[in-house]
Amino acid sequence: MSQPHVLLLGAPGAGKGTQSKRIVEEYGVDHITTGDALRANKGMDISDLGLEYDTPGAYMDAGELVPDEVVNEIVVTALGEADGFVLDGYPRNLEQAEFLDERTDLDAVLVFDVSEAELVDRLTGRRVCPECGANYHVEFDQPETEGVCDECGADLIQREDDTEETVRERLRVFRENTEPVIEYYRGSDAFAEVDGEGTPDEVWDEVEAAIDERV
Ligand code: AP5
Ligand code: MG
């Protein structure tokens, strides 16, 4: 059997990255995440596209979407290298969803539901490892030593777009651009809604069951 093709949808902070890690471990698929790819290329010169800003990082720090031509390119390359995958953070608007449709099929499209108050708490409390990418939370998922990565010992940092002001803007952009993407997939056999408010283990039980029912 070929490897599963999984898409995770949900607001910023819904737990897409947290659950993607578990999907990678359980199913041996690739993690395709436009957010991480863009963070690794924040300073890339895109001035030749003649758009509002000259780097992906300028869009990200404002909480806005990076232009489709930059993001689609990342996804095409990653899909070409993957057998199975979990796609996290893409598509974020209808144009990206249609672009994806022409390039691959999806076995499971999972939407995480989490309230806005909980999203803000999760994001403003998130801490990340700049070296290995591990994620923590100051309250919900503390490292053994405060401020230090359990995996590699580096000092943890706060993502630049996890300030309360930028989080509010990201949530607004989500409602405007990405909620229509959820409606786009609703009704397909691959689609399932997951309660994203439980503990990571509780959410994982639902995620695993929903994938296994669909592949
Ligand atoms: P991206 O990095 O994709 O960010 P996002 O979608 O805003 O989502 P997050 O990574 O913030 O949240 P998550 O759902 O992964 O949550 P996590 O598991 O970490 O994108 C960043 C930017 O890049 C965008 O704003 C945009 O500019 C650009 N971009 C990216 N893709 C793009 C695209 N396709 N098109 C255009 N632009 C694009 O969890 C959050 C926190 O909560 C963690 O601290 C975690 O420990 C904690 N947590 C997780 N699960 C639970 C739980 N069940 N209970 C309690 N705490 C939990
Ligand atoms: Mg993430």
Side-chain angles (χ1 to χ4, degrees):
M1 194 190 77
S2 66
Q3 299 271 58
H5 293 183
V6 180
L7 170 60
L8 302 186
L9 293 171
K16 302 180 297 291
T18 302
Q19 299 297 327
S20 290
K21 195 164 172 262
R22 297 182 180 218
I23 293 171
V24 167
E25 283 164 12
E26 178 68 22
Y27 298 95
V29 294
D30 285 5
H31 185 198
I32 303 179
T33 169
T34 46
D36 286 359
L38 290 167
R39 267 184 292 283
N41 293 284
K42 272 187 107 169
M44 186 171 70
D45 182 5
I46 54 169
S47 59
D48 56 326
L49 296 175
L51 300 163
E52 188 181 0
Y53 299 119
D54 291 342
T55 61
Y59 291 91
M60 299 170 82
D61 291 345
E64 304 302 323
L65 296 184
V66 175
D68 291 347
E69 45 264 68
V70 177
V71 181
N72 288 344
E73 177 83 25
I74 294 171
V75 171
V76 167
T77 306
L79 285 175
E81 292 165 359
D83 179 7
F85 57 80
V86 51
L87 198 46
D88 155 12
Y90 181 98
R92 269 179 141 85
N93 59 32
L94 286 174
E95 291 74 20
Q96 293 180 9
E98 285 161 5
F99 182 87
L100 181 67
D101 241 5
E102 290 168 12
R103 280 159 187 84
T104 190
D105 54 339
L106 297 168
D107 300 307
V109 176
L110 310 184
V111 180
F112 295 162
D113 290 322
V114 178
S115 71
E116 178 144 347
E118 170 84 10
L119 294 169
V120 173
D121 283 352
R122 286 189 188 177
L123 291 175
T124 54
R126 173 168 54 190
R127 297 294 179 270
V128 298
C129 177
E131 296 298 327
C132 75
N135 275 238
Y136 301 89
H137 191 281
V138 292
E139 208 179 317
F140 311 132
D141 182 13
Q142 298 172 347
E144 274 167 37
T145 308
E146 194 185 326
V148 179
C149 181
D150 291 343
E151 315 269 335
C152 74
D155 287 341
L156 302 178
I157 58 165
Q158 184 172 34
R159 248 169 66 171
E160 283 169 32
D161 59 350
D162 279 346
T163 59
E164 181 154 355
E165 191 194 351
T166 307
V167 165
R168 299 268 177 211
E169 177 60 12
R170 287 162 62 201
L171 291 171
R172 191 195 64 73
V173 169
F174 170 79
R175 281 191 296 271
E176 188 175 310
N177 295 277
T178 315
E179 279 184 348
V181 174
I182 296 173
E183 296 316 309
Y184 178 88
Y185 290 109
R186 195 186 295 280
S188 93
D189 291 341
F191 187 87
E193 270 177 299
V194 167
D195 178 2
E197 290 245 342
T199 64
D201 286 344
E202 287 166 351
V203 177
W204 170 243
D205 287 343
E206 279 197 49
V207 166
E208 192 182 19
I211 295 173
D212 289 344
E213 273 170 29
R214 285 167 178 75
V215 295

